[in-house]
Structure formats: C-alpha cells, structure tokens
C-alpha cells in the first residue's frame, strides 16, 4: 500500500471547496494518484487507496485559488503534476497522455493540453492547440501540467494577490507562467484532449468568499 511519503510518477492536484470526501474525484473520473486541496470550514487530512492509487485530501480554512495551488505545490509528491479544477471530467487515458507528452519533450517544464469545452456561452472563444511545439502563449492552469522539480527548484509559485478569492480576482495563471519563462524554462503545448468542461455547470470557485 502506498503511503504519503511515496514518490509518484504522476499526480493530479485538484483545487475545490466545501467537499466532505472523495466524491469529487469519482465525479471527475480520476484514475491516478491525487492530492485535493479542499478549502472549507475545518482543518483536516484524509487519505484512501483507490485502484492502487493514493488519494489525499488536505482540508483548510484558507481561502483563495492561488493559496490552494501553492499548498498543492508544497505537498505534491508527483514527478509530473497536473493542475485541476472541480468542473473537469478527465479522459480515461489522462495519465498516459500527460506522461507521453513529457517523455517526448524532456526539456519541458510545463505542457498545456486541449480541453473539450461544451455548452460554451455565445461569443466566448478559446484557443485551440493544433500542433506540439514550444509556446509563448498563456494558458489556464487546468490545461497545464508541470515538472514539479523545475518549479520547486526555481521557487516558482502563484501570486496570492491574484486569482479567485483574492483582491485582484484573476491573472494568476499568466503570472505563474511568466515566472517559468523568466527562469529560462520551457512551456510546450500539446493537442491531446485531456478533459471535458461543461459550462452549463458553474464552478464553485465563484462562490463562498
């Protein structure tokens, strides 16, 4: 059985609010090692082994999406980590899609992937990744996976003045990726579709502050 000191090849870092257990992981169809940062009204820790994977949940009274992401970075065990939100349903091949992309691009510190977006509000458009290449674009964190050691070695983290639940409310993803590039690390984009987001179901990140 895995324990919390094990190193993982791949781990999903899921930020959410007001969860009582691991139901969100089943809903998101996660089949890998997992760390959930659950912002709620208590301090708690839970773990469970599911299909040979270690699922961990840190519950915290802290508020703010960037604080959630930073807590995940500090507690992550994966060599490759994927940022996730509470409104994604993941591909059955998620782990192999992400690890294969990093295997093909050994100098990548971050890779962005496509999301299948359904019920998108009219007039709202999103960038579609067509080819695998080094990228200078900015991406939403739920599209991205990182090579954890590169991020930690360079002391890169999310600016907690930005993001949901913060004074400025947005922009944290671009700042995080700007810091990656400032440290001469590479961000790639890959056309694989790793998850579906249904925009008719509003994310809980816009409530509760």
């Amino acid at each position: 059985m895995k324990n919390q000191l094990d190193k993982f090849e791949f781990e999903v870092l899921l930020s959410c609010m007001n969860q009582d257990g691991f139901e969100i992981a089943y809903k998101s169809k996660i089949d890998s090692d997992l760390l959930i940062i659950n912002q709620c009204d208590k301090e708690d820790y839970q773990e469970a082994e599911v299909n040979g994977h270690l699922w961990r949940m840190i519950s915290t009274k802290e508020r703010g999406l960037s604080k959630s992401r930073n807590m995940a970075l500090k507690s992550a065990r994966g060599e490759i980590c994927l940022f996730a939100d509470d409104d994604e349903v993941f591909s059955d091949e998620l782990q192999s899609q992400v690890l294969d992309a990093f295997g093909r691009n050994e100098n990548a510190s971050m890779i962005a992937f496509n999301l299948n977006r359904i019920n998108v509000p009219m007039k709202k458009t999103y960038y579609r990744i067509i080819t695998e290449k080094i990228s200078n674009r900015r991406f939403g964190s739920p599209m991205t996976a990182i090579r954890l050691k590169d991020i930690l070695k360079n002391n890169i983290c999310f600016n907690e003045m930005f993001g949901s639940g913060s004074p400025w409310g947005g922009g944290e993803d671009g700042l995080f990726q700007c810091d990656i590039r400032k440290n001469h690390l590479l961000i790639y984009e890959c056309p694989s579709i790793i998850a579906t987001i249904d925009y008719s179901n509003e994310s809980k990140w816009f409530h509760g502050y």
Side-chain angles (χ1 to χ4, degrees):
M1 178 178 176
K2 289 184 177 181
N3 62 66
Q4 61 177 320
L5 298 179
D6 289 337
K7 287 284 188 180
F8 310 143
E9 187 178 22
F10 174 75
E11 187 176 26
V12 173
L13 309 180
L14 174 62
S15 294
C16 60
M17 296 186 72
N18 300 316
Q19 300 295 313
D20 293 323
F22 292 104
E23 181 182 351
I24 185 65
Y26 291 104
K27 180 181 176 182
S28 300
K29 297 185 178 179
I30 294 173
D31 186 22
S32 68
D33 293 302
L34 167 68
L35 173 61
I36 298 173
I37 305 299
N38 176 38
Q39 293 187 347
C40 57
D41 295 324
K42 64 180 180 179
E43 302 287 337
D44 191 26
Y45 175 80
Q46 302 175 58
E47 65 177 53
E49 187 170 19
V50 180
N51 296 330
H53 303 299
L54 183 62
W55 287 3
R56 300 179 291 152
M57 176 185 282
I58 298 173
S59 294
T60 176
K61 294 180 181 179
E62 283 192 338
R63 292 293 186 270
L65 181 52
S66 288
K67 288 185 177 181
S68 178
R69 302 273 196 231
N70 286 337
M71 183 176 286
L73 289 173
K74 291 176 183 177
S75 302
R77 308 298 300 173
E79 295 177 17
I80 304 298
C81 294
L82 176 79
F83 293 119
D85 279 350
D86 61 2
D87 54 357
E88 294 178 275
V89 178
F90 290 98
S91 159
D92 292 341
E93 293 79 35
L94 173 66
Q95 181 165 324
S96 61
Q97 287 173 303
V98 175
L99 291 180
D100 287 351
F102 277 91
R104 291 190 301 271
N105 303 287
E106 295 183 354
N107 58 345
S109 296
M110 171 182 278
I111 299 180
F113 299 87
N114 275 320
L115 300 177
N116 178 35
R117 306 173 191 269
I118 60 177
N119 297 316
V120 177
M122 290 181 64
K123 298 183 180 180
K124 197 170 182 69
T125 60
Y126 293 93
Y127 175 67
R128 189 77 173 174
I129 298 171
I130 304 299
T131 59
E132 192 164 283
K133 62 181 180 180
I134 295 174
S135 179
N136 292 315
R137 297 188 69 91
R138 296 180 181 182
F139 302 95
S141 287
M143 300 173 66
T144 63
I146 56 170
R147 200 179 302 274
L148 183 63
K149 68 177 183 180
D150 292 352
I151 303 304
L152 298 182
K153 180 180 178 180
N154 289 280
N155 297 313
I156 299 169
C157 62
F158 287 87
N159 187 324
E160 294 180 1
M161 291 294 292
F162 294 82
S164 297
S166 73
W168 292 102
E172 78 284 2
D173 299 331
L175 292 171
F176 183 78
Q177 291 158 35
C178 183
D179 285 343
I180 290 176
R181 295 185 174 104
K182 282 181 179 178
N183 281 276
H184 308 291
L185 303 174
L186 295 178
I187 299 176
Y188 278 70
E189 52 187 77
C190 173
S192 297
I193 300 173
I194 60 168
T196 296
I197 294 182
D198 185 347
Y199 283 81
S200 63
N201 300 319
E202 188 176 15
S203 173
K204 295 181 178 63
W205 275 113
F206 296 98
H207 303 279
Y209 294 108

